Amino acid sequence: MDDGQFFYHPLENIEDTEDFYAAINREHLTKSLSDERPYTYWTIELYDQKNGIRGGGGLGILAADTRRVAEQMGVPLTLITPFYPFEPHQKLENGAVVDEHIPVDYHKFGFRFVDTVNVRCDGNLCKLDVIEKKFDKTRILAITEPNFGELYSGMSGGDHRLYQEVSLGFGGYAALKLLGLKPAIMQLNEVATFFAALARLDELASNGMDFYEAVVYTRKHTLYTNHTLVQAAEAEFHLSQFERFVFPNLKSPAVRKWLVDKFVNDRIKLSSVTIEIAELRSGVSKLHARVANYRDIAGNKVKFKAVTNGIDMETWVVPEILNYYRRIGIIDKFGLPTEDYIEKLSSISAEIIHEAKHKGREILNSVLKGRPDQNGKELSFTDDDFVFDFKRRFVDYKRPELPFSDPKRLRKILESCNGHYILAGRVHTGDHNMSGKLKKLLDTVAHDDYLKDHVHYIADYDEKLAYGLSAGSNVAINVPIVGLEACGTSWMKDIANLNILISTHDGGVADASMDSYLCVSGGSEPEEVDSLYDRMEEAVEAYKNDFDLEYLIQKQLAAYLPVISGSRMLKDYLAFLFKA
Ligand SMILES: *Cc1c(COP(=O)(O)O)cnc(C)c1O
């Protein structure tokens, strides 16, 4: 497998963009999409540290991966997002998570200042900088100003959020025009981007198009991608907030009236209007699209097309592993699984898996440099260590504390395999419940003379840590409360990097059957805890037996390679948006 030096970029293998379009059998796409009429992708969150933008979690990672895959496939795509002048970091002090705010300068990341655009908010004319970073086929178009604030700063439903969302929508739309770009399609990555579609509707309606025609046109060209499950949980805005931040930006009285009519008791949920303005709607996994409970204003249940998230394998898969996939012919030049990939998986031997983990462990060790655990100790692992990880935002439904329900059993498992358990994940600012849970968990660990040296919390979870852990650990643990994860993508990074996945059957994991991986099941939490420990023991055993290890890893890839492929995701979106 030692072919790291032959690592190549798939674009070099694509004769022509037409190839990709032909592969997805939508030749007419080339007529719909062009550099001047790009696919536009709107997102309040982008997680793309290499380009200077750090997000909060999966929503932003997905946005970055979508653009990168489009770039590789030669699909003209413009991603519009805010550039937040401060980024949030976290450190651990005496077991407590402390937030830090670090200023960032867009010039350092190759952004070019284009010009300024204005939005009206709260009686002021706010001047926003438009900045651009252009790649070959795609670009990141960002709007920013020194007081723009941080991602998700202030309350959802609060004035500052509304200001940020209005700035992205109206400011971003004006920025597109500044560059002479016309959106072929507008994909709204969650409802915070609603105002982009509103800006388009307003432009059409105020430029002489009949209002109803303008609505029909906007609807046909707008895709609302929902990542949330429960509409009821969404924050609302008050009419008076729209009077200050939204209506002053509208030129068309008809659009204003249309919008005012959508308020119920002077309140509005952005999802309700986003559903009205987007005829195309998608959910982010099969399960999520089925169970997302949304109603339109008339009270009818909204149908979501399932387009399961994928990941950019170029970004997330260890280069040697990805090359190996290409060499044995399980993924093609587009990053799509080949027709006979399942048969070809049989050549993934235990030796290959151990080699991959050896390489991955080097990556993990280098990522862990300068990032000590809760004891201030810098970690480094050898091939003889057995590493479990739990890496994801510390939010209640993801249950980071679950594997600590029975510390004695956890200790026994770790003792049996020279094991380490690495925890990484941000606690949402102001989430006292979760910072309390983390503190309690670390207390439990500190009071056990074995666990204290074998359970490690690494602060300031980010892309590098996500990559290092999926590359270098043996087993990944993912235990959301079933029904609450929309998709999740970190488990995809794990499977693609030949880790064993232990998971509840939820989100995108539920795209395939429960016997495709080590499934945590049970009708109650104590049963799930039991099942989780059983699965951890099975994973340890599997590593002692080549046949079992090969069987598990091959089975995971057989079930999930098509799901994981970011090219598959883009292909699904294109097929959905540009139906022949
Ligand atoms: C992949 C990734 C995520 C996605 O996490 P999920 O919990 O699987 O949705 C979040 N944050 C970072 C930094 C990631 O790399």
Side-chain angles (χ1 to χ4, degrees):
M1 200 180 82
D2 186 23
D3 52 5
Q5 68 270 33
F6 299 123
F7 185 47
Y8 60 89
H9 195 277
L11 250 191
E12 289 169 24
N13 247 12
I14 296 179
E15 309 298 329
D16 186 343
T17 307
E18 304 268 342
D19 260 15
F20 178 64
Y21 294 143
I24 62 174
N25 202 17
R26 294 284 183 278
E27 292 86 346
H28 71 292
L29 258 179
T30 40
K31 296 188 200 83
S32 313
L33 288 174
S34 66
D35 290 339
E36 294 74 37
R37 270 180 67 80
Y39 186 128
T40 63
Y41 188 96
W42 301 78
T43 184
I44 198 82
E45 177 182 337
L46 174 65
Y47 206 140
D48 187 350
Q49 271 177 295
K50 216 164 120 194
N51 291 309
I53 302 184
R54 183 189 165 103
L59 190 78
I61 295 281
L62 175 74
D65 278 358
T66 304
R67 186 200 60 78
R68 288 186 286 241
V69 171
E71 179 68 34
Q72 289 155 26
M73 296 303 119
V75 175
L77 180 145
T78 294
L79 182 148
I80 306 102
T81 196
F83 187 99
Y84 299 94
F86 288 89
E87 61 180 36
H89 287 263
Q90 284 187 336
K91 59 181 177 187
L92 205 60
E93 272 176 10
N94 307 319
V97 169
V98 179
D99 284 305
E100 296 180 294
H101 311 274
I102 299 180
V104 268
D105 175 4
Y106 65 73
H107 295 100
K108 285 205 189 114
F109 295 95
F111 279 88
R112 167 182 86 91
F113 172 78
V114 179
D115 203 343
T116 58
V117 293
N118 293 320
V119 291
R120 285 162 213 269
C121 38
D122 213 7
N124 300 311
L125 201 60
C126 299
K127 197 185 253 189
L128 299 164
D129 287 357
V130 175
I131 60 174
E132 177 198 37
K133 184 157 182 187
K134 208 168 159 352
F135 304 83
D136 197 27
K137 272 300 192 181
T138 64
R139 55 156 71 74
I140 300 172
L141 191 58
I143 49 115
T144 188
E145 52 98 0
N147 297 312
F148 201 80
E150 277 183 16
L151 173 64
Y152 306 135
S153 56
M155 277 179 355
S156 59
D159 279 2
H160 192 71
R161 285 284 182 89
L162 187 56
Y163 160 67
Q164 290 181 332
E165 294 171 6
V166 162
S167 296
L168 173 63
F170 287 96
Y173 196 76
L176 274 183
K177 294 188 67 185
L178 210 61
L179 292 178
L181 302 176
K182 280 205 173 120
I185 202 85
M186 298 175 91
Q187 179 169 6
L188 307 179
N189 196 29
E190 262 305 339
V191 298
T193 61
F194 158 73
F195 299 102
L198 184 67
R200 182 174 222 193
L201 175 65
D202 186 54
E203 190 202 26
L204 296 173
S206 62
N207 278 351
M209 193 186 272
D210 171 75
F211 174 70
Y212 290 100
E213 268 174 42
V215 171
V216 168
Y217 186 89
T218 307
R219 280 172 54 84
K220 279 208 175 313
H221 293 86
T222 305
L223 165 65
Y224 159 34
T225 299
N226 170 288
H227 297 255
T228 322
L229 285 138
V230 199
Q231 196 171 21
E234 186 185 318
E236 294 178 322
F237 289 106
H238 195 267
L239 183 60
S240 62
Q241 291 177 292
F242 268 49
E243 276 161 358
R244 287 183 291 130
F245 290 94
V246 182
F247 299 152
N249 291 295
L250 293 175
K251 291 185 225 65
S252 158
V255 171
R256 182 196 161 110
K257 177 164 187 325
W258 173 85
L259 193 51
V260 170
D261 285 348
K262 304 290 178 281
F263 279 78
V264 179
N265 298 328
D266 287 351
R267 300 195 163 271
I268 198 166
K269 279 196 205 301
L270 290 184
S271 60
S272 67
V273 260
T274 309
I275 288 162
E276 296 296 312
I277 214 166
E279 193 171 287
L280 303 152
R281 300 141 190 168
S282 63
V284 289
S285 70
K286 286 181 184 166
L287 179 64
H288 168 244
R290 207 166 56 235
V291 303
N293 190 7
Y294 278 68
R295 293 192 180 266
D296 64 15
I297 284 173
N300 301 312
K301 188 141 198 270
V302 175
K303 283 207 178 82
F304 293 98
K305 162 93 180 166
V307 179
T308 304
N309 292 341
I311 55 169
D312 171 28
M313 295 212 272
E314 286 288 314
T315 298
W316 296 108
V317 184
V318 171
E320 285 81 356
I321 299 179
L322 191 56
N323 266 339
Y324 176 76
Y325 289 164
R326 293 208 178 96
R327 196 149 50 73
I328 64 172
I330 68 166
I331 49 175
D332 66 14
K333 60 181 176 175
F334 305 113
L336 296 168
T338 52
E339 258 172 41
D340 55 351
Y341 81 94
I342 292 183
E343 289 124 69
K344 288 179 170 157
L345 286 171
S346 62
S347 59
I348 301 185
S349 63
E351 198 187 337
I352 292 287
I353 298 164
H354 290 303
E355 256 185 72
K357 286 297 108 189
H358 173 75
K359 180 73 209 158
R361 199 138 291 182
E362 285 172 7
I363 295 171
L364 175 61
N365 287 340
S366 83
V367 167
L368 289 173
K369 282 214 172 73
R371 303 185 72 158
D373 71 359
Q374 75 276 14
N375 302 318
K377 192 170 170 235
E378 200 174 272
L379 308 170
S380 175
F381 298 103
T382 69
D383 289 351
D384 294 331
D385 294 315
F386 195 90
V387 180
F388 294 91
D389 78 53
F390 180 101
K391 51 175 178 332
R392 49 194 34 83
R393 284 180 302 125
F394 272 42
V395 288
D396 215 24
Y397 80 87
K398 292 184 189 261
R399 300 190 289 187
E401 75 288 354
L402 203 68
F404 296 86
S405 307
D406 182 352
K408 288 205 186 78
R409 189 151 175 209
L410 177 64
R411 172 177 174 155
K412 225 173 121 201
I413 293 169
L414 296 182
E415 280 176 333
S416 76
C417 61
N418 207 13
H420 289 264
Y421 188 101
I422 305 184
L423 280 150
R426 285 178 57 79
V427 178
H428 205 284
T429 305
D431 187 344
H432 302 298
N433 171 38
M434 288 316 284
S435 49
K437 278 191 179 172
L438 175 60
K439 198 162 177 3
K440 187 163 165 245
L441 186 163
L442 292 175
D443 276 348
T444 305
V445 167
H447 285 99
D448 184 298
D449 61 353
Y450 186 84
L451 291 182
K452 73 178 175 25
D453 297 319
H454 293 85
V455 175
H456 316 277
Y457 176 77
I458 312 287
D460 210 26
Y461 179 53
D462 64 354
E463 287 163 284
K464 286 199 186 95
L465 211 43
Y467 175 60
L469 286 167
S470 58
S473 32
N474 302 92
V475 178
I477 294 178
N478 177 50
V479 284
I481 297 174
V482 173
L484 296 187
E485 186 69 85
C487 180
T489 52
S490 37
W491 62 271
M492 298 182 187
K493 303 165 192 169
D494 299 314
I495 289 181
N497 283 309
L498 307 178
N499 289 355
I500 294 176
L501 175 68
I502 296 179
S503 177
T504 46
H505 201 59
D506 199 20
V509 175
D511 264 32
S513 69
M514 286 169 109
D515 57 12
S516 314
Y517 63 99
L518 293 183
C519 180
V520 173
S521 58
S524 65
E525 195 161 292
E527 278 173 32
E528 284 181 295
V529 168
D530 237 17
S531 166
L532 167 64
Y533 290 129
D534 289 349
R535 294 316 206 174
M536 290 171 78
E537 286 161 6
E538 279 174 58
V540 170
E541 283 309 308
Y543 255 89
K544 294 180 185 155
N545 178 319
D546 287 356
F547 180 79
D548 290 349
L549 182 61
E550 288 163 8
Y551 177 73
L552 272 179
I553 296 290
Q554 290 175 13
K555 196 165 63 163
Q556 289 183 159
L557 281 168
Y560 293 109
L561 198 61
V563 181
I564 290 168
S565 163
S567 307
R568 185 277 315 154
M569 169 180 67
L570 185 63
K571 170 178 162 281
D572 285 355
Y573 276 125
L574 293 173
F576 180 47
L577 294 170
F578 301 94
K579 295 176 205 96

